[in-house]
Structure formats: structure tokens, C-alpha cells
């Protein structure tokens, strides 16, 4: 580990740099061109803009209905996230801290969800939502987002809560606290690190989801950001710089979120992947 | 805890809401998919029981097999493109080079961006007239290499595969990196004392030590390859002429474009079966080598 040969370093840095360039260039190219005039882009897609066209952003924001999509995405993402994490934590609490007859079965049922591709359920979910008149409502997205992320949420939280020492709740019992009181005031606070992971994972999954939105949302009023963007780019084929501006607007918040919460996000995704 | 009064009721109320939503939306529909898959139904009229008729029709449909073939291409792309690349990157990053954190950050970024965004960006790269790739080729005097990357059936699956590698490689990189970092230092030191250094140590010690993680990634990558939808739906919609269609798109088109809900459900059951079979075969292969 101590001595590294120069040749190895040369190879490593060359390879890593090439890889980094491959990852950065498409995004960089898009952001740079989003600041150009359409004619300028057509003339040379690799030059830097002569003057920065921030008006592209205003126009994209308006033409692409980005305010509506952002609002919908934020609403659906956070409501699903809160419901998933609350219900998941409660379920994980009972599964990890209590013995009861159907415990094993219930736990395996929750785990099963990680194996099932959502595509195997898509048609029935669409038909159920149609029957319940929930197509084109927030609820039609919140319910599947919650249901499908309960598996991983319960799995991660159950594993974490199981690790607490057995007498964790004793002081609470002594003070006469009920089961739910113990959950809220003792268990939940010490589960915070795992809760953070689960919150971040749910956020990313909900924020990026496309397939359910595609099937369950038809009206522009309820479209989420990924669906709205996909449609916008499909329709607005004339102006590439406008498309790039819209994509950049959507890209920036998620990149900031990533850079701020990098460590937890990587840990969470790794855990999710390894366990999923 | 079991002595607490009303425990059973409390457990019931604690688990009930989560179970209700989960079973109702995630588990019951699998059963419904099975049920619809033996029906002929356009979603409006009455259902007619047709037995395994849908399955017979699907399995004798050339387009379906084309989509299976494309799923296999995506699977192979994942296995020979993403995993070794991710492993190589992780091996390099685990050597404590200066700037590792930077490369890890950049490498993982595409995983966090939505697949819709990834697809739209790659759509712009591959765009025949205005895209980055063809423009770049022109700029370096290689006009003759320009292609209709997504529209030409010689290139379309390859183009999609490259975008797919770009999108997911970083995920395997960080999973492998986490596994490599959990190898105790003593193991590496002992190996070095025994004269196993560099490449030899990597092949003989390091990789065998993270075998179980590699197996998990193989299974994960396979099961993901059966779930690919967004990327292809947005880049090509499955075209030209079904050349890039995968099973999920075939299912989506059958059910939601052609209103054949029974037929589409049968496809979705086949997706489920295919992925379960491949995963269990891989799992068996993995555990046999362990024994």
C-alpha cells in the first residue's frame, strides 16, 4: 500500500480522468449550450457563448410549465416519503422489538417486494386506479410510491432497530409509557441515522420516478418533473437550447442535493443495492 | 414487553396501515396480473377466459422474441460492461490515490440523476443533425464516421448500451469500493509479506475476498436489466421497427397503446418469471462455487 510505482499512478490517473471526462462532458456541454442563442448553437455547438442568454431559462421555465411540474414533484415526493417512512418505521418497530405469531410471515412478505419488478403490477394498478377514479390525482402516485418503497424502508429500519439492546425500552416501561409512546420518544430518536438513509433513498426514488407517472397521469396539471420534461422535449423539438435550459433547471437542484448529501446518499444507495 | 396490556391490539394497529397499502398496491396486483393473463380483455368490454392462449400467442410472436433478445443484450452489457468497469474503477480508487474523492463524486453522479434526464441528455448527444457526437466527429474531420446513432438498426442497441453503462457504472463502482474498504488491512499486509503485490495480489487475494459482493452485483445487474424501461422508452420508444424494444416496452405497448390488457399482463408475468429464473440460476451457480 505504501509504495506506488509511477507507472501504476500514470495508468490510474489517465484512466480515472478519461472516466471523469466521460461523465462530465455531456452535462457540461448541455449547460454551456443552454446559455447560447439558437443560431449560435447551430453554427458551432462547441464554442463558448458570446453572450449569456439567461432569457432561455425564463422562457424554458414558462413554456415547459416547470413551476407546475416542480410543485407536483415536490408534493408527491414529500407526501409519499413521509407516509412511507412513518408507516415503515412503525412496522419495523413491531417486527424488530416484539415476538408474535405472524411476525416471520409479515417480514418475509415485506421483503418479497424487493424482488418484484413493478412492471408485473403496472396493469392491475392502472385498472384499480381507474376504477377508483384516481387517475390524474396525486393519490394515484402517492399510493404506489409508498407501497413499493415500504419494502426497503422496513428492511433497513428493521435491521437497525433489531441491533438495539433488549432493555432499551425498560426505562420507558418503568415510567409507565405505552407502546406508541416508547416508539415515538425512545426508539425513533435513536433510529435517526437509519432514518436519514431511508429518507434520502425515498427522496431520490420518488423524485426520479417515471413509469407510474407515465401510466397514471395524463393531464398536464398533475405531471411530475420527469414526465413533464420528457413530454416537453418530445414536443419542443425546434429549439435545442430551450430544451437544454429546461433540463439544466431540473438538473441543478438534484446536483446540489447530491453534493450536499453525497456521503449518506452513496451509503444509502449502496445499502439499497446490496440489500435490494 | 409481552406483558404489556393490549400489546396485540397495538401490534395490529402498528402493522395494519403499512400492510394494507403494501399488500393492496404491491402484492395483490401480482395475483391480478396472473388472473388477467388468462383473459382476453380490452379494458372496456367483458372479459373472456382464454386459458394459456395469451402465452401461446406471445411465445410465437417474433416481436416478443426480438424484445427478449434486446433484454439479453442489455443484460450482457451490464455484466461485461458495467461490472468489470465498476470493479476496475473501485480497485483504482481503493489505492488511496490523491483525488479519489473527486473521482468517486463524479463517477456516482449519473446514478443520482433521473433516468429520464439521462435519456434526454443522451438523446441530444446522439441527435443526428444537432447532436454532440456527430458534431464532434465533424470537428475532427471524421464526417464519414457520422451515423444515425439511434435510428439505424446497426447502431441503435449499441448506442443504448453505452448510455446504459454511463448511467449505472458508478453504482457498481461505489458498491465495490465499499466492499474493498471493508477488507481488513492485515489481509493486505500479510499478502505483501508473502510476496503477493500489485496485480497478483488483486487477482489472488482482493477479488476472492469480495466474491460475495460481486455475486450480489451480478444478480442485481441482471434483475435491473429486466426492468429497463425509461431509458429506451425515451431514447427510441423501442424503434426503429421494434429494433430496440425490450420486454417492458412490449408490455407497455400491448396494454396501454393497443388496449390488450390480458395479453399485456401475460407479458408482465413472463418478465417476472424470466427474471426470477435467471436470478435463481445465477444464485445457484454462485453457491456451487462456494461449496
Amino acid at each position: 500500500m505504501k509504495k506506488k510505482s509511477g507507472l501504476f499512478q500514470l495508468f490510474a490517473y489517465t484512466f480515472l480522468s478519461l472516466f471523469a471526462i466521460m461523465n462530465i462532458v455531456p452535462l457540461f456541454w448541455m449547460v454551456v449550450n443552454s446559455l447560447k442563442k439558437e443560431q449560435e448553437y447551430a453554427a458551432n455547438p462547441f464554442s463558448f457563448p458570446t453572450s449569456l442568454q439567461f432569457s432561455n431559462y425564463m422562457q424554458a421555465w414558462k413554456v415547459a410549465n416547470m413551476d407546475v411540474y416542480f410543485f407536483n414533484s415536490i408534493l408527491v415526493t414529500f407526501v409519499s416519503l413521509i407516509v412511507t417512512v412513518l408507516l415503515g418505521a412503525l412496522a419495523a418497530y413491531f417486527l424488530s422489538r416484539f415476538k408474535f405469531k405472524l411476525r416471520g410471515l409479515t417480514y418475509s412478505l415485506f421483503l418479497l417486494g424487493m424482488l418484484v419488478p413493478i412492471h408485473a403490477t403496472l396493469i392491475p394498478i392502472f385498472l384499480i386506479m381507474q376504477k377508483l377514479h384516481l387517475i390524474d390525482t396525486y393519490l394515484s402516485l402517492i399510493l404506489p410510491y409508498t407501497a413499493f418503497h415500504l419494502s426497503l424502508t422496513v428492511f433497513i429500519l428493521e435491521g437497525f432497530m433489531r441491533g438495539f439492546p433488549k432493555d432499551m425500552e425498560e426505562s420507558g416501561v418503568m415510567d409507565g409509557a405505552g407502546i406508541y409512546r416508547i416508539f415515538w420518544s425512545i426508539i425513533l430518536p435513536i433510529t435517526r441515522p437509519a432514518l436519514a438513509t431511508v429518507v434520502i433513498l425515498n427522496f431520490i426514488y420518488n423524485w426520479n420516478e417515471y413509469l407510474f407517472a407515465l401510466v397514471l397521469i395524463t393531464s398536464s396539471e398533475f405531471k411530475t418533473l420527469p414526465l413533464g420534461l420528457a413530454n416537453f422535449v418530445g414536443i419542443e423539438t425546434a429549439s435545442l437550447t430551450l430544451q437544454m435550459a429546461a433540463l439544466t433547471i431540473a438538473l441543478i437542484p438534484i446536483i446540489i442535493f447530491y453534493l450536499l448529501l453525497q456521503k449518506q446518499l452513496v451509503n444509502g444507495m449502496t445499502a439499497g443495492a446490496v440489500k435490494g | 414487553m409481552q406483558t404489556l396490556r393490549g400489546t396485540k391490539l397495538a401490534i395490529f394497529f402498528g402493522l395494519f396501515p403499512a400492510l394494507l397499502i403494501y399488500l393492496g398496491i404491491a402484492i395483490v396486483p401480482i395475483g391480478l396480473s396472473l388472473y388477467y393473463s388468462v383473459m382476453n380483455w380490452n379494458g372496456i368490454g367483458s372479459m373472456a377466459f382464454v386459458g394459456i392462449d395469451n402465452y401461446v400467442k406471445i411465445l410465437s410472436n417474433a416481436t416478443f422474441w426480438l424484445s427478449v433478445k434486446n433484454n439479453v443484450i442489455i443484460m450482457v452489457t451490464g455484466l461485461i460492461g458495467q461490472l468489470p468497469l465498476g470493479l476496475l474503477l473501485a480497485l483504482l480508487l481503493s489505492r488511496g490515490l490523491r483525488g479519489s474523492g473527486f473521482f468517486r463524486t463524479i463517477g456516482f453522479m449519473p446514478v443520482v440523476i433521473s433516468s429520464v434526464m439521462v435519456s434526454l441528455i443522451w438523446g441530444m448527444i446522439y441527435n443526428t443533425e444537432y447532436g454532440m457526437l456527430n458534431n464532434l466527429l465533424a470537428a475532427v474531420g471524421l464526417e464519414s464516421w457520422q451515423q444515425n446513432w439511434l435510428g439505424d438498426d446497426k447502431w441503435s442497441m449499441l448506442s443504448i448500451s453505452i448510455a446504459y453503462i454511463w448511467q449505472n457504472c458508478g453504482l457498481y463502482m461505489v458498491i465495490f469500493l465499499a466492499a474493498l474498504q471493508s477488507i481488513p488491512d492485515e489481509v493486505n499486509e500479510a499478502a505483501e509479506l508473502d510476496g503477493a503485490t500489485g496485480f497478483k495480489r488483486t487477482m489472488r487475494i482482493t477479488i476472492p475476498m469480495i466474491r460475495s459482493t460481486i455475486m450480489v452485483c451480478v444478480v442485481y445487474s441482471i434483475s435491473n436489466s429486466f426492468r429497463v424501461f425509461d431509458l429506451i422508452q425515451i431514447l427510441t420508444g423501442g424503434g426503429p421497427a421494434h429494433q430496440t424494444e425490450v420486454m417492458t416496452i412490449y408490455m407497455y405497448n400491448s396494454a396501454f397503446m393497443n388496449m390488450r390488457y390480458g395479453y399485456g399482463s401475460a407479458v408482465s408475468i413472463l418478465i417476472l418469471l424470466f427474471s426470477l429464473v435467471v436470478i435463481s440460476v445465477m444464485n445457484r451457480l454462485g453457491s456451487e462455487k462456494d461449496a
Side-chain angles (χ1 to χ4, degrees):
Chain A
M1 292 299 269
K2 280 128 268 167
K3 53 174 189 248
K4 285 161 215 129
S5 70
L7 204 64
F8 169 77
Q9 286 216 2
L10 183 69
F11 168 74
Y13 278 119
T14 312
F15 190 80
L16 288 171
S17 303
L18 278 177
F19 173 69
I21 289 169
M22 276 297 289
N23 274 343
I24 287 285
V25 162
L27 302 180
F28 186 71
W29 176 75
M30 183 183 84
V31 175
V32 167
N33 283 309
S34 73
L35 289 161
K36 282 187 194 169
K37 282 191 183 122
E38 192 63 31
Q39 304 90 304
E40 203 185 344
Y41 171 75
N44 186 354
F46 296 109
S47 65
F48 280 95
T50 46
S51 63
L52 301 181
Q53 299 297 314
F54 288 107
S55 58
N56 284 348
Y57 284 74
M58 326 275 197
Q59 207 190 337
W61 179 266
K62 233 187 256 155
V63 181
N65 290 326
M66 303 268 304
D67 48 349
V68 179
Y69 303 151
F70 259 104
F71 174 80
N72 291 340
S73 268
I74 291 170
L75 185 96
V76 171
T77 297
F78 282 96
V79 173
S80 322
L81 186 156
I82 291 166
V83 177
T84 312
V85 173
L86 269 181
L87 294 186
L90 201 56
Y93 168 58
F94 286 104
L95 289 171
S96 64
R97 311 298 295 173
F98 294 84
K99 287 194 192 112
F100 52 93
K101 226 185 273 165
L102 295 175
R103 202 204 76 88
L105 178 73
T106 314
Y107 182 65
S108 323
L109 258 177
F110 273 121
L111 289 205
L112 183 68
M114 288 195 274
L115 278 178
V116 176
I118 58 166
H119 314 88
T121 62
L122 193 64
I123 296 169
I125 288 176
F126 169 75
L127 295 168
I128 291 170
M129 294 299 174
Q130 204 176 39
K131 201 154 235 171
L132 297 174
H133 299 289
L134 289 177
I135 301 283
D136 273 335
T137 63
Y138 294 122
L139 206 56
S140 72
L141 295 182
I142 291 168
L143 284 173
Y145 291 1
T146 304
F148 280 94
H149 298 144
L150 270 171
S151 289
L152 189 64
T153 304
V154 167
F155 181 64
I156 291 178
L157 295 180
E158 200 269 353
F160 196 81
M161 290 177 183
R162 207 205 308 230
F164 301 154
K166 278 247 158 57
D167 41 18
M168 199 68 240
E169 296 97 333
E170 253 167 33
S171 60
V173 176
M174 302 282 240
D175 293 341
I179 290 177
Y180 285 97
R181 177 86 214 172
I182 291 172
F183 167 72
W184 192 256
S185 312
I186 300 176
I187 299 291
L188 220 43
I190 48 175
T191 312
R192 211 176 294 155
L195 284 174
T197 299
V198 162
V199 164
I200 291 172
L201 276 185
N202 271 293
F203 174 81
I204 287 286
Y205 289 157
N206 293 344
W207 186 260
N208 289 342
E209 205 284 331
Y210 176 66
L211 183 54
F212 278 125
L214 177 68
V215 170
L216 299 171
I217 302 293
T218 53
S219 137
S220 192
E221 203 184 327
F222 292 99
K223 277 177 186 160
T224 54
L225 201 51
L227 182 62
L229 275 180
N231 279 344
F232 171 69
V233 171
I235 296 162
E236 188 67 37
T237 47
S239 172
L240 262 112
T241 52
L242 210 58
Q243 288 181 21
M244 290 172 177
L247 282 176
T248 305
I249 293 173
L251 187 67
I252 286 168
I254 203 77
I255 297 282
I256 292 174
F257 177 82
Y258 169 55
L259 293 178
L260 288 178
L261 294 171
Q262 233 200 100
K263 203 164 168 240
Q264 273 132 314
L265 207 125
V266 169
N267 290 345
M269 294 286 252
T270 316
V274 171
K275 288 160 185 170
Chain B
M1 293 305 292
Q2 286 92 312
T3 54
L4 284 177
R5 246 177 239 183
T7 303
K8 268 192 187 155
L9 209 62
I11 294 176
F12 176 77
F13 281 117
L15 286 170
F16 184 73
L19 264 179
L20 182 71
I21 294 181
Y22 173 68
L23 292 178
I25 305 287
I27 299 300
V28 170
I30 299 173
L32 285 172
S33 269
L34 256 176
Y35 170 70
Y36 294 143
S37 77
V38 293
M39 298 288 172
N40 188 4
W41 190 37
N42 62 7
I44 305 160
S46 56
M47 273 189 240
F49 178 78
V50 292
I52 59 162
D53 198 33
N54 286 328
Y55 292 95
V56 173
K57 273 189 201 149
I58 293 166
L59 294 176
S60 57
N61 183 309
T63 308
F64 173 74
W65 286 107
L66 194 58
S67 76
V68 174
K69 188 191 97 185
N70 288 329
N71 265 115
V72 172
I73 292 177
I74 293 290
M75 185 171 86
V76 172
T77 298
L79 291 178
I80 68 170
Q82 280 167 12
L83 294 185
L85 188 57
L87 183 59
L88 179 62
L89 288 164
L91 284 168
L92 294 179
L93 291 179
S94 69
R95 293 302 182 90
L97 290 172
R98 202 176 296 173
S100 293
F102 168 77
F103 290 114
R104 201 197 64 172
T105 303
I106 300 296
F108 192 69
M109 206 156 60
V111 183
V112 182
I113 303 170
S114 70
S115 50
V116 167
M117 198 99 81
V118 170
S119 319
L120 295 175
I121 292 168
W122 278 87
M124 290 176 179
I125 292 176
Y126 288 137
N127 188 308
T128 316
E129 238 173 299
Y130 307 104
M132 183 169 98
L133 189 52
N134 277 349
N135 275 314
L136 199 63
L137 288 170
V140 295
L142 290 171
E143 276 95 345
S144 59
W145 289 21
Q146 289 182 343
Q147 301 293 343
N148 184 358
W149 299 105
L150 292 168
D152 182 333
D153 54 1
K154 270 205 305 286
W155 295 97
S156 51
M157 272 318 284
L158 183 73
S159 303
I160 285 171
S161 299
I162 287 170
Y164 182 67
I165 294 176
W166 188 86
Q167 182 185 21
N168 295 303
C169 179
L171 177 65
Y172 299 102
M173 177 188 82
V174 300
I175 297 174
F176 287 134
L177 193 56
L180 288 172
Q181 279 162 350
S182 68
I183 297 178
D185 281 344
E186 298 89 71
V187 174
N188 285 324
E189 280 158 20
E192 217 149 297
L193 285 178
D194 289 342
T197 50
F199 186 68
K200 205 168 166 192
R201 189 185 73 199
T202 304
M203 297 311 284
R204 299 268 175 83
I205 317 271
T206 315
I207 291 182
M209 292 244 1
I210 59 162
R211 239 193 65 89
S212 63
T213 304
I214 295 177
M215 247 358 260
V216 168
C217 285
V218 166
V219 170
Y220 188 68
S221 166
I222 292 174
S223 75
N224 265 355
S225 69
F226 282 97
R227 300 176 195 210
V228 170
F229 177 84
D230 306 6
L231 187 74
I232 299 179
Q233 153 84 10
I234 290 169
L235 276 179
T236 65
H242 304 290
Q243 288 303 320
T244 59
E245 201 157 300
V246 286
M247 282 190 276
T248 51
I249 291 186
Y250 187 71
M251 177 214 63
Y252 175 82
N253 288 340
S254 309
F256 299 104
M257 299 287 122
N258 304 326
M259 311 294 262
R260 297 170 74 186
Y261 292 106
Y263 189 87
S265 296
V267 178
S268 71
I269 293 295
L270 286 174
I271 294 172
L272 183 65
L273 284 179
F274 276 44
S275 64
L276 290 182
V277 166
V278 177
I279 288 167
S280 65
V281 168
M282 283 317 296
N283 263 332
R284 182 148 316 162
L285 284 178
S287 56
E288 258 170 25
K289 270 188 201 156
D290 269 339

